[in-house]
Amino acid sequence: MSGIEIRNLSYRYPTGSEKVLHDINLTIESGKFYALVGVNGGGKTTLCNVIRGFIPHFFKGERNGEVLIDGKDVSDWDTSNLAQKVGFVFQNPFTQISGVKETVFDEIAFGLENLGVEVSEIKQRVQNIISLLGIEYIQHKNPNELSGGQKQRVALASIIVMEPDILIFDEPTSQLDPQGTEEIFKAIDIMKKKGKTIILVEHKIELIAEYADYIVVLQDGHIKRQGRTEDVLSKEDTQDFGVGLTQYTLLDLQMRKHNMNTDRIPITERDSVQIMKQWMELQGVRS
Ligand SMILES: Nc1ncnc2c1ncn2[C@@H]1O[C@H](COP(=O)(O)OP(=O)(O)OP(=O)(O)O)[C@@H](O)[C@H]1O
Ligand SMILES: [Mg+2]
């Protein structure tokens, strides 16, 4: 399985006059789940494109520093090997549908077909992903006739089915309702449990708090903060970088202002219930 090492990375687009990534240093451990967060225009999508090698293979500009996957810079990787190593789900699901397949099933099978995988294996793998994402009901539909949320699920399925070691998802739930979003997080979690390295750009902080191992905060092309999810999301000043905290953390921080000091700051519902219970017991409040 694969880790990523980014050293002193900076980047300027070919048409841009200024750098949009500055001095990025980041180690992405194999098999962990990283959430990439921050305000619009911070450089999240650009960083994803650097990691998957789209920059500099297809988008030139000026890239300095190193981006190593398995110890080799992405610029030295063969592009088709790199594409098998790193799967990428676009921010806009409409650009990911191939447009050449007539059914969702065939659309999801498309990448495997191109790799020359045996037909019986393709069928099996596509079926597995369809049931993992709960999209059996659209499998015979035309991909062009799907809703935004359905397209987003199909785009995700067509990448996951390829089983790359590294999976990058750029806002994969933007078109989805809360239930659909939660389902995607569960599917991503299953990929993590299979040992995949996950990089997710996402704004839904409650779900990040629950699922991500690490958080990287980008603003104006700089990493403003990085660390374990519970550390980054329990610091009040993380909000200074335009990143929201969860309601559980905000409540705890308010309580502290009234001298109600819990043992530690929760970031999830589960955390919060446990910490509050403890705190109430300490106060002698009986349930
Ligand atoms: N193709 C491009 N050519 C020139 N500049 C670009 C290009 N794509 C993005 N930029 C600039 O790079 C900066 C970072 O953009 P990027 O899309 O990486 O941010 P982001 O964090 O993904 O934002 P969002 O949350 O809106 O998706 C922005 O200032 C943007 O204007
Ligand atoms: Mg983006």
Side-chain angles (χ1 to χ4, degrees):
M1 292 293 145
S2 296
I4 305 164
E5 190 71 44
I6 302 177
R7 296 188 195 130
N8 305 321
L9 168 75
S10 67
Y11 179 67
R12 182 180 55 75
Y13 277 102
T15 52
S17 55
E18 287 178 24
K19 287 180 180 174
V20 296
L21 293 176
H22 307 265
D23 201 27
I24 305 285
N25 284 285
L26 180 61
T27 300
I28 297 192
E29 272 178 68
S30 163
K32 299 285 186 207
F33 184 159
Y34 289 75
L36 207 50
V37 302
V39 291
N40 296 136
K44 303 178 296 294
T45 297
T46 306
L47 184 57
C48 292
N49 277 322
V50 170
I51 295 172
R52 73 182 179 108
F54 189 79
I55 296 169
H57 283 287
F58 300 99
F59 234 102
K60 302 292 178 205
E62 184 192 338
R63 199 206 80 169
N64 292 307
E66 291 178 304
V67 180
L68 309 172
I69 296 183
D70 294 348
K72 185 159 103 176
D73 200 290
V74 289
S75 57
D76 298 326
W77 275 74
D78 167 78
T79 50
S80 65
N81 289 340
L82 192 58
Q84 283 177 54
K85 185 85 182 171
V86 186
F88 180 64
V89 179
F90 289 84
Q91 190 161 357
N92 177 354
F94 302 93
T95 56
Q96 190 129 23
I97 302 289
S98 73
V100 301
K101 293 293 182 182
E102 307 235 316
T103 68
V104 164
F105 192 100
D106 290 348
E107 174 70 30
I108 299 171
F110 189 42
L112 293 173
E113 251 172 50
N114 285 339
L115 286 182
V117 177
E118 217 181 296
V119 174
S120 60
E121 191 190 331
I122 293 181
K123 286 201 168 136
Q124 192 57 56
R125 281 168 69 173
V126 172
Q127 208 58 68
N128 289 346
I129 294 297
I130 284 178
S131 63
L132 172 70
L133 293 173
I135 50 173
E136 292 88 347
Y137 71 108
I138 52 168
Q139 62 179 315
H140 304 300
K141 276 199 150 192
N142 188 317
N144 296 312
E145 291 164 5
L146 302 175
S147 73
Q150 290 167 340
K151 277 204 172 102
Q152 204 150 30
R153 286 186 178 86
V154 172
L156 193 95
S158 62
I159 297 303
I160 288 182
V161 78
M162 309 285 287
E163 298 254 347
D165 287 344
I166 299 168
L167 283 159
I168 305 180
F169 304 101
D170 194 355
E171 300 192 34
T173 68
S174 56
Q175 309 275 330
L176 297 172
D177 57 27
Q179 196 198 330
T181 300
E182 180 104 38
E183 282 163 17
I184 295 296
F185 270 82
K186 285 193 175 132
I188 295 175
D189 197 48
I190 289 170
M191 291 302 120
K192 189 193 128 174
K193 293 197 169 107
K194 284 187 169 188
K196 310 292 181 194
T197 306
I198 312 286
I199 299 170
L200 170 72
V201 178
E202 187 51 84
H203 294 289
K204 292 165 185 159
I205 210 71
E206 245 100 42
L207 288 158
I208 291 174
E210 204 170 316
Y211 288 96
D213 298 308
Y214 295 95
I215 295 191
V216 177
V217 180
L218 270 179
Q219 191 184 42
D220 299 329
H222 294 270
I223 292 184
K224 295 290 186 177
R225 183 156 281 178
Q226 59 174 307
R228 296 196 64 82
T229 303
E230 58 268 34
D231 295 333
V232 173
L233 289 188
S234 59
K235 290 197 174 74
E236 192 164 18
D237 61 359
T238 292
Q239 295 175 112
D240 296 351
F241 310 117
V243 178
L245 303 179
T246 70
Q247 53 183 318
Y248 313 106
T249 307
L250 292 173
L251 174 63
D252 194 277
L253 291 172
Q254 281 304 319
M255 284 172 60
R256 275 160 204 271
K257 286 182 183 144
H258 295 88
N259 288 323
M260 293 185 266
N261 295 309
T262 52
D263 202 29
R264 63 188 172 82
I265 301 174
I267 63 167
T268 63
E269 183 178 14
R270 202 179 330 109
D271 255 3
S272 183
V273 169
Q274 198 192 0
I275 289 169
M276 290 293 265
K277 225 171 137 188
Q278 225 173 19
W279 182 78
M280 284 165 82
E281 273 164 17
L282 269 175
Q283 305 306 307
V285 182
R286 300 241 155 250
S287 53

